[in-house]
Amino acid sequence: MSTAQPFVELAEIEAARSAIAATVRRTPVNKSPSLSELLGCPVHLKLEHTQITGSFKLRGATNAVASLSDADKQRGVAGVSTGNHGRGLAHAAKAAGVRCIICMSRLVPQAKIDGIKAQGAEVRIVGNSQDEAQLEVDRLVDEDGLTMIPPFDHRAIIAGQGTLGLELLEQVPDVATVLVPLSGGGLVSGVAAALKAMRPDVRIIGISMERGPAMHECLKAGGPVLVKELATLADSLGGGIGLGNQLTFAMTRDLVDDVVLVSEAEIAAGIRHIYWQERQIVEGAGAVGVAALLSRKIESVGPVAAILSGGNIDMKQHHRVISGEDVDVTQEAA
């Protein structure tokens, strides 16, 4: 049974910002003329897919590695990932001279596996879900003494992701609604903690996919439950939240105003729109906010900001999607 910890606070997020400032990029915000016209209010896109490793995950990973003791750094780190956390952790560990092992399931696209290896980390493919890959991380911690840095349910990770919220509020001071891709809840918890501390009136909406939306199902159940991981264009949003979840479930429950789900077709439409209208290349997980806007699932009240959280998509898949092909990953993964 989990024992909930106090929520990550603004002071921790501000400290994280100082800790990562020298090595993590401040990403730009663009106003979208096409989406602003569609919604009838200003729509801004936070281009976090232009982060150094192609996703927001570098923020939390860098902060987590910076918080390690010298002894922990000597032993090395391990983590489970659907791709982007692994890439961010591998980058942060390499910069700090720390050994890094990333464990992943067979559902992770090869492009993301290759990206992690290119950062110098060792990759181990275990099972068909993040939960199964986590078992190998647990073994590395128990038998080899490595320090586990999880992808979301960790104070330093959440505080690092929250730095994105601080940036966004500086860039769009009058923002009224923020759309945040939702998986295990690290990003939405950090962004919500930052924004709600400074602007309690801002609406935070988590966006996930219809296929295997773990946090959404856990919120409905009233606590962490097992949710089957399914193939989806938004592969970075796959995986459970952990039955022993300490932070992100409660923070999402208490700080996030709503959760919206989008279909595979809507995610594909989001990827296409972002490419053809915004001239940006994003992965499925990074497109879910725009997908929700295009499908009119978001009530537009005041300026809206959507976080384009990652751009690490297989370019062959991206070409197929933007060319209008009906890319059915559910069939291709069978």
Side-chain angles (χ1 to χ4, degrees):
M1 177 177 244
S2 66
T3 303
Q5 300 175 10
F7 287 1
V8 173
E9 297 183 348
L10 181 60
E12 295 172 79
I13 299 170
E14 291 173 334
R17 188 175 196 180
S18 296
I20 70 176
T23 52
V24 173
R25 180 175 294 156
R26 176 185 171 96
T27 55
V29 167
N30 284 356
K31 184 177 179 182
S32 168
S34 59
L35 292 172
S36 298
E37 182 177 358
L38 176 69
L39 272 290
C41 70
V43 176
H44 304 270
L45 304 177
K46 176 66 167 166
L47 308 185
E48 189 64 14
H49 64 294
T50 65
Q51 191 53 257
I52 295 166
T53 57
S55 91
F56 73 95
K57 291 285 191 177
L58 182 62
R59 295 174 183 267
T62 301
N63 191 46
V65 170
S67 71
L68 294 174
S69 68
D70 289 341
D72 287 338
K73 289 178 180 178
Q74 288 176 358
R75 286 190 292 267
V77 298
V80 67
S81 176
T82 54
N84 287 333
H85 172 63
R87 195 165 183 162
L89 183 56
H91 184 280
K94 182 179 181 181
V98 174
R99 180 191 182 199
C100 179
I101 300 177
I102 303 298
C103 301
M104 313 173 81
S105 83
R106 296 187 185 93
L107 291 180
V108 177
Q110 187 63 43
K112 293 193 172 179
I113 295 171
D114 294 341
I116 291 170
K117 289 180 177 178
Q119 296 292 336
E122 178 184 341
V123 174
R124 298 188 183 181
I125 306 300
V126 182
N128 295 307
S129 70
Q130 276 210 101
D131 291 332
E132 292 179 21
Q134 180 64 47
L135 296 176
E136 177 64 9
V137 174
D138 295 341
R139 189 193 67 76
L140 289 167
V141 171
D142 293 339
E143 298 180 12
D144 297 347
L146 275 70
T147 297
M148 178 179 70
I149 297 184
F152 49 86
D153 196 35
H154 184 284
R155 296 195 78 85
I157 292 287
I158 295 169
Q161 319 306 27
T163 63
L164 192 156
L166 298 180
E167 284 182 15
L168 180 60
L169 194 56
E170 291 170 353
Q171 294 164 318
V172 191
D174 61 343
V175 67
T177 302
V178 180
L179 310 183
V180 188
L182 175 62
S183 179
L187 178 60
V188 80
S189 293
V191 169
L195 291 176
K196 293 287 188 179
M198 302 178 76
R199 284 273 313 281
D201 58 310
V202 174
R203 285 195 311 157
I204 308 293
I205 301 179
I207 316 292
S208 198
M209 66 289 180
E210 291 179 353
R211 291 183 52 79
M215 183 63 80
H216 173 73
E217 295 300 321
C218 293
L219 292 170
K220 285 200 306 181
V225 295
L226 290 173
V227 178
K228 186 177 181 181
E229 192 171 342
L230 301 172
T232 171
L233 280 171
D235 53 87
S236 292
L237 301 185
I241 74 165
L243 294 180
N245 190 284
Q246 298 287 304
L247 284 163
T248 60
F249 171 78
M251 291 184 72
T252 302
R253 179 194 63 204
D254 292 357
L255 299 178
V256 175
D257 297 285
D258 197 8
V259 174
V260 169
L261 303 183
V262 288
S263 69
E264 295 299 296
E266 288 164 346
I267 295 169
I271 293 172
R272 283 193 292 270
H273 177 94
I274 292 166
Y275 181 75
W276 291 113
Q277 298 297 323
E278 314 298 340
R279 298 297 191 261
Q280 303 291 331
I281 295 173
V282 299
E283 59 188 280
V288 294
V290 170
L293 291 173
L294 292 173
S295 56
R296 306 307 292 265
K297 292 183 175 180
I298 304 298
E299 181 185 355
S300 54
V301 179
V304 175
I307 297 173
L308 308 189
S309 56
N312 295 320
I313 188 171
D314 179 273
M315 291 308 295
K316 291 181 180 178
Q317 182 188 79
H318 185 267
H319 177 75
R320 293 168 61 198
V321 172
I322 65 168
S323 298
E325 183 179 337
D326 182 13
V327 179
D328 188 350
V329 296
T330 66
Q331 294 296 319
E332 294 172 13

